Every structure is written in structure tokens, then in C-alpha cells.
Short mmCIF file of all heavy atoms in Angstrom, two decimals:
data_model
loop_
_atom_site.label_atom_id
_atom_site.label_comp_id
_atom_site.label_asym_id
_atom_site.label_seq_id
_atom_site.Cartn_x
_atom_site.Cartn_y
_atom_site.Cartn_z
N THR A 784 8.71 25.90 5.84
CA THR A 784 9.04 26.19 4.46
C THR A 784 8.18 25.36 3.51
O THR A 784 7.83 24.22 3.84
CB THR A 784 10.53 25.90 4.19
OG1 THR A 784 11.32 26.62 5.14
CG2 THR A 784 10.95 26.31 2.80
N ASP A 785 7.86 25.94 2.37
CA ASP A 785 7.09 25.19 1.36
C ASP A 785 8.01 24.15 0.71
O ASP A 785 8.87 24.51 -0.12
CB ASP A 785 6.56 26.18 0.29
CG ASP A 785 5.67 25.48 -0.71
OD1 ASP A 785 5.21 24.35 -0.44
OD2 ASP A 785 5.46 26.08 -1.80
N CYS A 786 7.87 22.91 1.12
CA CYS A 786 8.79 21.85 0.70
C CYS A 786 8.07 20.66 0.09
O CYS A 786 6.87 20.45 0.34
CB CYS A 786 9.60 21.32 1.89
SG CYS A 786 10.77 22.49 2.57
N VAL A 787 8.78 19.92 -0.71
CA VAL A 787 8.36 18.58 -1.11
C VAL A 787 8.92 17.63 -0.06
O VAL A 787 10.15 17.59 0.15
CB VAL A 787 8.87 18.21 -2.51
CG1 VAL A 787 8.47 16.79 -2.87
CG2 VAL A 787 8.39 19.20 -3.54
N VAL A 788 8.06 16.87 0.62
CA VAL A 788 8.48 15.97 1.70
C VAL A 788 8.04 14.55 1.31
O VAL A 788 6.88 14.35 0.94
CB VAL A 788 7.86 16.36 3.04
CG1 VAL A 788 8.30 15.42 4.12
CG2 VAL A 788 8.24 17.80 3.40
N ARG A 789 8.97 13.63 1.40
CA ARG A 789 8.66 12.24 1.05
C ARG A 789 9.24 11.27 2.09
O ARG A 789 10.31 11.54 2.65
CB ARG A 789 9.20 11.88 -0.34
CG ARG A 789 8.51 12.59 -1.48
CD ARG A 789 7.09 12.09 -1.63
NE ARG A 789 6.42 12.70 -2.78
CZ ARG A 789 5.69 13.81 -2.69
NH1 ARG A 789 5.57 14.44 -1.54
NH2 ARG A 789 5.09 14.27 -3.77
N GLU A 790 8.56 10.15 2.29
CA GLU A 790 9.06 9.00 3.01
C GLU A 790 8.82 7.78 2.16
O GLU A 790 8.02 7.80 1.20
CB GLU A 790 8.35 8.86 4.37
CG GLU A 790 8.61 9.93 5.37
CD GLU A 790 7.98 9.59 6.71
OE1 GLU A 790 8.25 8.51 7.25
OE2 GLU A 790 7.18 10.42 7.21
N LEU A 791 9.44 6.67 2.51
CA LEU A 791 9.24 5.40 1.83
C LEU A 791 9.03 4.31 2.86
O LEU A 791 9.69 4.32 3.92
CB LEU A 791 10.42 5.06 0.93
CG LEU A 791 10.34 3.75 0.16
CD1 LEU A 791 11.03 3.92 -1.21
CD2 LEU A 791 11.05 2.62 0.92
N VAL A 792 8.13 3.38 2.56
CA VAL A 792 7.92 2.23 3.45
C VAL A 792 7.87 0.96 2.61
O VAL A 792 7.31 0.98 1.49
CB VAL A 792 6.62 2.39 4.29
CG1 VAL A 792 5.39 2.39 3.40
CG2 VAL A 792 6.53 1.30 5.34
N LEU A 793 8.50 -0.08 3.07
CA LEU A 793 8.36 -1.43 2.55
C LEU A 793 7.63 -2.26 3.61
O LEU A 793 8.06 -2.27 4.76
CB LEU A 793 9.70 -2.05 2.24
CG LEU A 793 10.54 -1.42 1.13
CD1 LEU A 793 11.90 -2.08 1.04
CD2 LEU A 793 9.83 -1.54 -0.23
N VAL A 794 6.52 -2.89 3.22
CA VAL A 794 5.71 -3.60 4.20
C VAL A 794 5.24 -4.93 3.63
O VAL A 794 4.76 -4.99 2.50
CB VAL A 794 4.53 -2.74 4.68
CG1 VAL A 794 3.69 -2.26 3.51
CG2 VAL A 794 3.67 -3.49 5.67
N ARG A 795 5.44 -5.99 4.41
CA ARG A 795 4.95 -7.32 4.02
C ARG A 795 3.59 -7.54 4.64
O ARG A 795 3.45 -7.49 5.88
CB ARG A 795 5.91 -8.42 4.43
CG ARG A 795 5.48 -9.82 3.98
CD ARG A 795 6.35 -10.94 4.48
NE ARG A 795 7.73 -10.75 4.05
CZ ARG A 795 8.75 -10.48 4.87
NH1 ARG A 795 8.53 -10.34 6.17
NH2 ARG A 795 9.96 -10.35 4.40
N VAL A 796 2.57 -7.76 3.81
CA VAL A 796 1.19 -7.87 4.26
C VAL A 796 0.67 -9.28 3.93
O VAL A 796 0.89 -9.77 2.82
CB VAL A 796 0.31 -6.81 3.60
CG1 VAL A 796 -1.14 -6.90 4.10
CG2 VAL A 796 0.86 -5.42 3.82
N ARG A 797 -0.01 -9.89 4.88
CA ARG A 797 -0.59 -11.20 4.65
C ARG A 797 -1.69 -11.08 3.58
O ARG A 797 -2.49 -10.15 3.60
CB ARG A 797 -1.19 -11.76 5.93
CG ARG A 797 -0.15 -11.99 7.01
CD ARG A 797 -0.82 -12.32 8.32
NE ARG A 797 0.11 -12.15 9.45
CZ ARG A 797 -0.26 -12.07 10.71
NH1 ARG A 797 -1.54 -12.17 11.03
NH2 ARG A 797 0.64 -11.92 11.68
N ALA A 798 -1.70 -12.06 2.67
CA ALA A 798 -2.64 -12.00 1.55
C ALA A 798 -3.20 -13.40 1.24
O ALA A 798 -2.78 -14.08 0.31
CB ALA A 798 -1.94 -11.43 0.31
N PRO A 799 -4.16 -13.87 2.04
CA PRO A 799 -4.82 -15.14 1.73
C PRO A 799 -5.59 -15.07 0.43
O PRO A 799 -5.93 -13.96 -0.03
CB PRO A 799 -5.74 -15.38 2.92
CG PRO A 799 -5.97 -14.00 3.49
CD PRO A 799 -4.72 -13.24 3.25
N ASP A 800 -5.85 -16.21 -0.17
CA ASP A 800 -6.46 -16.24 -1.52
C ASP A 800 -7.78 -15.44 -1.58
O ASP A 800 -8.04 -14.76 -2.57
CB ASP A 800 -6.74 -17.70 -1.91
CG ASP A 800 -5.47 -18.44 -2.23
OD1 ASP A 800 -4.44 -17.76 -2.53
OD2 ASP A 800 -5.46 -19.69 -2.19
N ASP A 801 -8.59 -15.56 -0.57
CA ASP A 801 -9.91 -14.91 -0.63
C ASP A 801 -9.87 -13.39 -0.44
O ASP A 801 -10.89 -12.71 -0.61
CB ASP A 801 -10.86 -15.52 0.40
CG ASP A 801 -10.32 -15.39 1.82
OD1 ASP A 801 -9.09 -15.26 2.00
OD2 ASP A 801 -11.15 -15.34 2.76
N LYS A 802 -8.68 -12.85 -0.11
CA LYS A 802 -8.59 -11.40 0.14
C LYS A 802 -7.59 -10.70 -0.77
O LYS A 802 -7.43 -9.49 -0.70
CB LYS A 802 -8.19 -11.13 1.60
CG LYS A 802 -9.23 -11.59 2.62
CD LYS A 802 -8.81 -11.22 4.02
CE LYS A 802 -9.86 -11.66 5.03
NZ LYS A 802 -9.47 -11.33 6.45
N ARG A 803 -6.93 -11.44 -1.67
CA ARG A 803 -5.87 -10.85 -2.47
C ARG A 803 -6.40 -9.77 -3.40
O ARG A 803 -5.80 -8.71 -3.55
CB ARG A 803 -5.15 -11.95 -3.26
CG ARG A 803 -4.36 -12.90 -2.40
CD ARG A 803 -3.81 -14.05 -3.20
NE ARG A 803 -2.56 -13.72 -3.88
CZ ARG A 803 -1.36 -13.83 -3.33
NH1 ARG A 803 -1.24 -14.24 -2.07
NH2 ARG A 803 -0.28 -13.56 -4.02
N GLY A 804 -7.52 -10.03 -4.04
CA GLY A 804 -8.09 -9.03 -4.95
C GLY A 804 -8.47 -7.75 -4.25
O GLY A 804 -8.15 -6.63 -4.72
N THR A 805 -9.12 -7.86 -3.09
CA THR A 805 -9.52 -6.68 -2.32
C THR A 805 -8.30 -5.91 -1.83
O THR A 805 -8.27 -4.67 -1.90
CB THR A 805 -10.38 -7.12 -1.12
OG1 THR A 805 -11.50 -7.85 -1.56
CG2 THR A 805 -10.87 -5.88 -0.35
N LEU A 806 -7.28 -6.64 -1.37
CA LEU A 806 -6.06 -5.97 -0.90
C LEU A 806 -5.39 -5.18 -2.03
O LEU A 806 -4.99 -4.02 -1.83
CB LEU A 806 -5.10 -7.00 -0.35
CG LEU A 806 -3.72 -6.54 0.08
CD1 LEU A 806 -3.83 -5.42 1.13
CD2 LEU A 806 -2.90 -7.69 0.62
N LEU A 807 -5.30 -5.76 -3.22
CA LEU A 807 -4.67 -5.06 -4.34
C LEU A 807 -5.46 -3.84 -4.74
O LEU A 807 -4.90 -2.79 -5.09
CB LEU A 807 -4.52 -6.01 -5.53
CG LEU A 807 -3.47 -7.13 -5.37
CD1 LEU A 807 -3.53 -8.06 -6.56
CD2 LEU A 807 -2.07 -6.54 -5.20
N ASN A 808 -6.79 -3.91 -4.69
CA ASN A 808 -7.63 -2.78 -5.04
C ASN A 808 -7.40 -1.62 -4.05
O ASN A 808 -7.35 -0.45 -4.44
CB ASN A 808 -9.10 -3.18 -5.06
CG ASN A 808 -9.44 -4.02 -6.26
OD1 ASN A 808 -8.75 -3.99 -7.28
ND2 ASN A 808 -10.51 -4.83 -6.15
N GLU A 809 -7.34 -1.95 -2.77
CA GLU A 809 -7.12 -0.92 -1.77
C GLU A 809 -5.72 -0.33 -1.88
O GLU A 809 -5.52 0.87 -1.69
CB GLU A 809 -7.40 -1.48 -0.38
CG GLU A 809 -8.86 -1.84 -0.14
CD GLU A 809 -9.11 -2.23 1.31
OE1 GLU A 809 -8.18 -2.71 1.96
OE2 GLU A 809 -10.27 -2.07 1.74
N ALA A 810 -4.73 -1.18 -2.17
CA ALA A 810 -3.37 -0.69 -2.34
C ALA A 810 -3.28 0.27 -3.52
O ALA A 810 -2.51 1.25 -3.51
CB ALA A 810 -2.42 -1.85 -2.51
N GLU A 811 -4.06 0.02 -4.58
CA GLU A 811 -4.03 0.87 -5.77
C GLU A 811 -4.45 2.29 -5.45
O GLU A 811 -3.96 3.25 -6.05
CB GLU A 811 -4.93 0.27 -6.85
CG GLU A 811 -5.02 1.08 -8.11
CD GLU A 811 -3.69 1.17 -8.87
OE1 GLU A 811 -2.85 0.28 -8.66
OE2 GLU A 811 -3.52 2.14 -9.61
N ILE A 812 -5.37 2.44 -4.48
CA ILE A 812 -5.81 3.78 -4.08
C ILE A 812 -4.62 4.64 -3.60
O ILE A 812 -4.57 5.84 -3.84
CB ILE A 812 -6.88 3.66 -2.97
CG1 ILE A 812 -8.11 2.94 -3.48
CG2 ILE A 812 -7.24 5.05 -2.43
CD1 ILE A 812 -9.13 2.66 -2.40
N PHE A 813 -3.65 4.01 -2.95
CA PHE A 813 -2.50 4.71 -2.42
C PHE A 813 -1.30 4.65 -3.39
O PHE A 813 -0.23 5.09 -3.04
CB PHE A 813 -2.06 4.10 -1.10
CG PHE A 813 -3.09 4.24 0.00
CD1 PHE A 813 -4.07 3.27 0.20
CD2 PHE A 813 -3.05 5.33 0.84
CE1 PHE A 813 -5.00 3.40 1.21
CE2 PHE A 813 -3.99 5.50 1.86
CZ PHE A 813 -4.97 4.51 2.04
N ARG A 814 -1.55 4.11 -4.57
CA ARG A 814 -0.49 3.93 -5.58
C ARG A 814 0.68 3.12 -5.02
O ARG A 814 1.85 3.39 -5.30
CB ARG A 814 0.02 5.28 -6.10
CG ARG A 814 -1.06 6.05 -6.83
CD ARG A 814 -0.55 7.36 -7.44
NE ARG A 814 -1.59 8.07 -8.15
CZ ARG A 814 -1.41 9.25 -8.76
NH1 ARG A 814 -0.21 9.81 -8.74
NH2 ARG A 814 -2.40 9.85 -9.38
#
């Protein structure tokens, strides 16, 4: 059937200082 299908995930991701900016940029791609 033509449906709207959704899931939700909560995930804790390691974020050292030197990678925080890159991680946030990549997360923004997935909103």
C-alpha cells in the first residue's frame, strides 16, 4: 500500500573535539 512509513532512533555517538564539526555537518545531511 502507498503509505507514509516512519521510524525513530536515538543514538549516542562519540564526538572528540577534532571531529565534532565534521560529525555535525554529516548529521545535518540526514536532518
Side-chain angles (χ1 to χ4, degrees):
T784 305
D785 184 17
C786 291
V787 178
V788 180
R789 291 292 183 268
E790 293 186 55
L791 180 144
V792 65
L793 294 174
V794 54
R795 183 185 301 113
V796 182
R797 297 171 198 164
D800 288 340
D801 60 334
K802 296 183 179 179
R803 293 173 82 87
T805 304
L806 174 58
L807 290 174
N808 288 336
E809 292 187 334
E811 179 64 24
I812 297 173
F813 295 90
R814 297 184 179 179

